[in-house]
Structure formats: C-alpha cells, structure tokens
Amino acid sequence: MVKEPVRILVVGGGYVGMYTALRLQRKLKPELKRGTAEIVVITPDPYMTYQPFLPEAAAGSISPRHVVVPLRRVLDKCRIVVGEVRSLDHGKRTATFTTLATEEEGAGTVDLTYDEIVLAPGSIARTLPVPGLAEYAIGFKTVEEAIGLRN
C-alpha cells in the first residue's frame, strides 16, 4: 500500500507565506525528495511583493521587477497554485479554492486536503471614508499601483 505524502498547505504567498514555505522547504528537504511530504502554496499572485521597495519603484529609482520575487523560482520544491482559497473545513482538513482556469471553464471550486495548514493571507488596504478618495485616489500596496503612481 502506497502512503499518501504529508501535505502542508500554505495559504498566501506574501512575505510570511513565502518565508514560511521557504523554511519548510529547507527543513523538509529529504522528505520532499523522497516524496513523503508535499508543500502547496495557494496565492492570488505568482510572486511576492517586497513592499518596502514600492516607494523606490514609484519614484523610478529602481525597476519594478526588483520589487517582486517569483515564487516558482524561490520555492522550487513547492507546488504553487495561483488561486484564492474560498473556504476551509478544518474538521475535514479540506481547503476549497478557485483558480482562473476553474472560473473560465465554469468548473467552480476545487477541494484540496491537507495535514497541516499555515494561514498567511496578508492584509487588505483600507480606504478611509474621505469623499472622493475611493473613486480618484491611486493605492500604494501593489507593484501595479506603484507603476501607476510613477506614470
């Protein structure tokens, strides 16, 4: 009988999610090589944004590509899923997520079982209740917003 690998699910590929997966990848190197462990990272973007460098990218001092870290390059022993976790059933140890492919195909959600989970979904920028702010302001949390400010 073939035993299923132990699956560690990391929800979020930002700073905390990426460094957690990186540390797990290093600590579990023999298990990953043997196939007795698997690390899955589910994140909306295939890169981690190093936010302290966003002002330099917006000012044009550095290229926007120097603000991001491609997850597939850094986490080469992990499975990276570009998608969003919609719900968790911790009793069944199941995460339900969607990807762009499942949405385009109309396939709906996908269930993924896990043995251990790390929740690192990040934060959402809050818009203050200033009249006109939400309609006319440019955010400053993503690389795309920094490029928009620069332009």
Side-chain angles (χ1 to χ4, degrees), residues 13-26 48 50 69 75:
Y15 190 85
V16 172
M18 185 194 80
Y19 277 102
T20 300
L22 186 62
R23 181 78 183 253
L24 287 168
Q25 180 178 271
R26 287 182 186 148
M48 187 275 294
Y50 191 63
V69 177
L75 304 174

Side-chain angles (χ1 to χ4, degrees), residues 9-124:
L9 174 62
V10 179
V11 178
Y15 190 85
V16 172
M18 185 194 80
Y19 277 102
T20 300
L22 186 62
R23 181 78 183 253
L24 287 168
Q25 180 178 271
R26 287 182 186 148
K27 281 192 153 306
L28 300 174
K29 191 173 185 177
E31 291 85 351
L32 292 168
K33 197 170 196 166
R34 285 194 308 265
T36 58
E38 177 186 31
I39 303 168
V40 179
V41 179
I42 301 178
T43 181
D45 298 311
Y47 54 85
M48 187 275 294
T49 302
Y50 191 63
Q51 291 179 342
F53 285 164
L54 285 177
E56 284 87 350
S61 300
I62 63 173
S63 173
R65 66 189 173 99
H66 293 115
V67 179
V68 296
V69 177
L71 293 177
R72 285 189 176 94
R73 185 177 304 152
V74 175
L75 304 174
D76 59 332
K77 305 292 186 260
C78 299
R79 186 171 128 210
I80 308 297
V81 177
V82 178
E84 293 183 8
V85 173
R86 299 293 181 183
S87 65
L88 292 171
D89 185 340
H90 199 56
K92 294 180 182 175
R93 294 185 176 264
T94 303
T96 303
F97 67 95
T98 58
T99 65
L100 286 176
T102 60
E103 290 174 3
E104 286 176 5
E105 295 169 359
T109 58
V110 178
D111 290 337
L112 180 72
T113 59
Y114 60 85
D115 296 294
E116 300 293 334
I117 189 167
V118 176
L119 295 176
S123 63
I124 296 172

